[in-house]
Amino acid sequence: TDVGAPAPWRSEAGSGRRLQPLAAGELSGLTQAQLVELVQWTDLILFDYLTANFDRLVSNLFSLQWDPRVMHRATSNLHRAPNGGLVFIDNEAGLVHGYRLLSMWDKYNEPLLRSVCIFREATAQRVWELHRLQNAASELLRLYRTHEPLSGRLGFLSEQQAQLLQGRIDFVHKHILHCKAMATSL
């Protein structure tokens, strides 16, 4: 089924609220189901930042200049599975294509990433590992060759794109550390 953005991002349109992490008080008022939903969205935002995907929430943020209600509509290329999980579909606007268009879309992708400061522990751990090992592109290539039957006939990331991916992982790692520091100072 179609999925609309949760309230923290919907309120951006017309409310005067800037994209920013939820305050501790806002998180404490959420139910367990709302928190589970929120961390699914943070995974999506993190994934779209890493791949520079601009065809979901980022394109909605861009469209706010013409349509203040766009964040209240279903998010493109996103569905909800019967078990409630988010399913990211049609990701071709990321990686190679998204990296070519960074100058246009990162002014939306980066603030969107900075608007989240709650992450799944497994997601934060994996980002830390990819940062520590500095091997994001080689790990992606290994998975690509393992799971994509046409990988031998299709292209892969250039060296420059591989460096962009690693740089974005390193940026996310720093952001997660910043969020942890902010949480411990509360």
Side-chain angles (χ1 to χ4, degrees):
T1 62
D2 290 338
V3 184
W9 295 285
R10 280 196 318 265
S11 62
E12 170 73 10
S15 71
R17 178 184 168 149
R18 302 293 305 150
L19 288 172
Q20 58 190 348
L22 293 173
E26 291 174 286
L27 289 175
S28 65
L30 297 178
T31 66
Q32 182 176 0
Q34 290 170 318
L35 286 170
V36 167
E37 168 112 356
L38 185 63
V39 294
Q40 288 184 72
W41 279 88
T42 64
D43 276 355
L44 175 137
I45 290 167
L46 190 146
F47 176 77
D48 281 356
Y49 176 81
L50 291 176
T51 63
N53 188 327
F54 55 86
D55 205 13
R56 265 189 282 267
L57 281 177
V58 166
S59 65
N60 285 3
L61 290 173
F62 175 75
S63 296
L64 279 171
Q65 61 191 311
W66 301 289
D67 182 359
R69 304 253 334 129
V70 70
M71 296 303 276
H72 293 267
R73 293 193 190 94
T75 302
S76 298
N77 301 317
L78 184 65
H79 291 289
R80 186 172 309 281
N83 69 359
L86 297 180
V87 180
F88 312 169
I89 62 168
D90 194 18
N91 296 299
E92 92 287 344
L95 281 178
V96 176
H97 186 52
Y99 287 176
R100 281 193 347 234
L101 301 171
L102 281 178
S103 63
M104 178 173 180
W105 296 106
D106 254 7
K107 60 186 165 195
Y108 301 99
N109 249 323
E110 190 173 317
L112 188 57
L113 174 67
R114 289 181 187 274
S115 78
V116 297
C117 253
I118 180 171
F119 301 94
R120 290 179 206 252
E121 188 174 332
T123 300
Q125 179 65 32
R126 189 64 179 133
V127 168
W128 177 81
E129 289 170 7
L130 290 168
H131 166 74
R132 183 179 61 84
L133 296 172
Q134 293 291 297
N135 71 342
S138 60
E139 179 66 7
L140 181 59
L141 180 59
R142 183 188 67 75
L143 291 168
Y144 176 61
R145 287 180 175 159
T146 301
H147 298 289
E148 175 52 64
L150 298 176
S151 66
R153 291 188 247 160
L154 299 174
F156 190 66
L157 300 178
S158 69
E159 183 59 34
Q160 180 185 18
Q161 292 161 339
Q163 290 172 4
L164 277 169
L165 174 60
Q166 188 62 55
R168 291 173 89 77
I169 293 215
D170 296 344
F171 183 85
V172 169
H173 171 70
K174 280 198 268 187
H175 176 62
I176 291 172
L177 291 178
H178 169 76
C179 290
K180 284 182 180 180
M182 296 292 287
T184 58
S185 71
L186 295 177

